[in-house]
Structures are given as C-alpha cells and as structure tokens.
Amino acid sequence: MEILALSGLLACLWMCFGVALAANFYPGYSHRRQFCSELGAAGSPTQKLSPRINNYPLGFMFVLFGLYILLLPDGAAALQWMGVMIVLHGLATWVAGWFPMDADPYTLSPSLHCNIHSYAGLLMLLSLLVAPLLSFLLPANQYLPGAFKWFSLLCVVATVLFSVTLAKAYKAKTQPGLHQRLSYGAQLLWLGGLSLQLWLG
C-alpha cells in the first residue's frame, strides 16, 4: 500500500516523458511557443496519440494518488480535502484529453469541445492551487512537517507568478508554452514533493 504514495511522483515523471514523446511525432512543434494541449488539439498530427500517452494514464495516476491520501490512517479532514483536490485534478485531466482544444489557440469562436477542454484546464489549475494552499494552512502534523508547508507556499507563489507571465505571453503571442510549463511545473514539483514526503514519512 505504501508504494502507492509514489504514484504522485510517477505522474510528474510521466508528464515530462509523455509530452516529450508526443512532441517527437508533431513536426515543427515548439515547447516554447505552443501549449501542451496543442499536442492533442483537433486536427493535430498527435491528436489521438497525445491523450493516450498523456491524459489518460496521467489521470489514472492522479486519481490513484488522491485516493491514497484519502485513505491515509488518522488523516486530518483538511488532508483528505487535499486528496479530493488531487482526484479532481485527475478527473479533469481525463476530460481535457477526451475533449480536444481547437487547433488555433487564438480563435475568437472556440468550439464546444474546446470550451469544455478550457474549463477542465481551469479546474486542473485551481485544484492544484487549493491543495498546496491547504497543506500550508494546516497545522504541522506527521504527514506535513513545517518545512514542507513552506515548500508548498513557494510552489503556490511560483504557480501564480508564472500564470501571470503566461497570460502576458499569450496576449503578446510570444512564448506562452514556456510559461505554461513553468506554471504547471511548479504544481507538479509540489505534487512530486508531497508524494516523496508521504512515502518517506
């Protein structure tokens, strides 16, 4: 059962591997200029491949990790809410994979499936903002020592900061892909850190 604590870390490593792998089958794909979701966008060369190697297995790992937290013995109520947020993140990851974004991220009239994808992406962002905030606000306990609480706050600040720079890069049409990876990377860093903390602690 304890090995399930590493499912969060595995998801972080899988994300890096899966995006890099899918990008190899997308001619001319730019990690700096393009969003991760463009790998699975409608009409893209990797529309079907990307969710199969990214969203679907990642969603499973996120849900598994969230359920592991929910079932921790003597878990505080707020710690269980962290588990709920991570499960929601996994479910939203599945939805974002099932409903692709439009090929043009700057389209003025997004399709229904693109809107669903966008709302799923928003839920992904918010769920992994609420979870580390909870871990910071909770009193220190056997699962969340004081040092990890401050690590959580740093990850939240980094996520918000890079989300702001992402919005600016998107508006300027420069390198939104880079800022998206930095923002989500801060969230995955927290998730991987939590996974290790629970496994070692």
Side-chain angles (χ1 to χ4, degrees), residues 18-79:
V19 169
L21 179 62
N24 284 332
F25 296 93
Y26 190 125
Y29 182 81
S30 170
H31 289 282
R32 288 178 170 270
R33 295 191 308 273
Q34 292 178 270
F35 294 104
C36 293
S37 292
E38 289 185 65
L39 290 168
S44 79
T46 51
Q47 178 182 351
K48 293 184 178 180
L49 174 66
S50 184
R52 288 174 181 171
I53 63 176
N54 288 310
N55 298 74
Y56 303 149
L58 281 169
F60 174 76
M61 285 180 265
F62 289 135
V63 169
L64 188 64
F65 185 49
L67 291 176
Y68 169 79
I69 295 174
L70 282 169
L71 298 175
L72 282 174
D74 303 319
L79 191 68

Side-chain angles (χ1 to χ4, degrees), residues 6-24 29 31 34-40 49-62 89-90 92-94 96-97 117 121 124-125 128 176-192:
L6 290 176
S7 56
L9 178 61
L10 178 61
C12 300
L13 298 175
W14 190 285
M15 176 74 183
C16 298
F17 167 76
V19 169
L21 179 62
N24 284 332
Y29 182 81
H31 289 282
Q34 292 178 270
F35 294 104
C36 293
S37 292
E38 289 185 65
L39 290 168
L49 174 66
S50 184
R52 288 174 181 171
I53 63 176
N54 288 310
N55 298 74
Y56 303 149
L58 281 169
F60 174 76
M61 285 180 265
F62 289 135
H89 189 82
T93 301
W94 279 332
H117 177 92
M124 289 173 65
L125 171 67
L128 283 194
L178 172 62
H179 296 275
Q180 181 199 34
R181 283 157 177 77
L182 290 172
S183 176
Y184 194 37
Q187 294 186 306
L188 292 180
L189 180 64
W190 174 81
L191 192 76

Side-chain angles (χ1 to χ4, degrees), residues 28 42 59 63 66 68 94 97 106 115 119 121 123 142 153 158 167 171 179 187:
V63 169
Y68 169 79
W94 279 332
Y106 294 98
N115 282 327
Y119 285 121
L123 180 57
Q142 59 176 322
L153 180 61
K171 186 176 181 179
H179 296 275
Q187 294 186 306

Side-chain angles (χ1 to χ4, degrees), residues 55-200:
N55 298 74
Y56 303 149
L58 281 169
F60 174 76
M61 285 180 265
F62 289 135
V63 169
L64 188 64
F65 185 49
L67 291 176
Y68 169 79
I69 295 174
L70 282 169
L71 298 175
L72 282 174
D74 303 319
L79 191 68
Q80 293 177 334
W81 274 110
M82 287 167 55
V84 170
M85 290 297 107
I86 295 171
V87 169
L88 284 177
H89 189 82
L91 297 176
T93 301
W94 279 332
V95 174
W98 186 262
F99 295 94
M101 67 174 284
D102 292 332
D104 180 8
Y106 294 98
T107 181
L108 297 178
S109 302
S111 62
L112 175 61
H113 57 76
C114 184
N115 282 327
I116 295 174
H117 177 92
S118 297
Y119 285 121
L122 179 61
L123 180 57
M124 289 173 65
L125 171 67
L126 293 178
S127 60
L128 283 194
L129 269 178
V130 172
L133 271 177
L134 285 173
S135 68
F136 173 71
L137 296 173
L138 278 174
N141 55 48
Q142 59 176 322
Y143 299 116
L144 302 173
F148 185 81
K149 290 161 59 65
W150 288 107
F151 169 73
S152 300
L153 180 61
L154 285 175
C155 289
V156 169
V157 170
T159 300
V160 172
L161 174 64
F162 289 123
S163 294
V164 171
T165 60
L166 165 60
K168 291 180 178 178
Y170 175 78
K171 186 176 181 179
K173 298 184 179 181
T174 53
Q175 296 183 333
L178 172 62
H179 296 275
Q180 181 199 34
R181 283 157 177 77
L182 290 172
S183 176
Y184 194 37
Q187 294 186 306
L188 292 180
L189 180 64
W190 174 81
L191 192 76
L194 176 64
S195 183
L196 277 176
Q197 172 63 39
L198 295 178
W199 183 61
L200 295 172

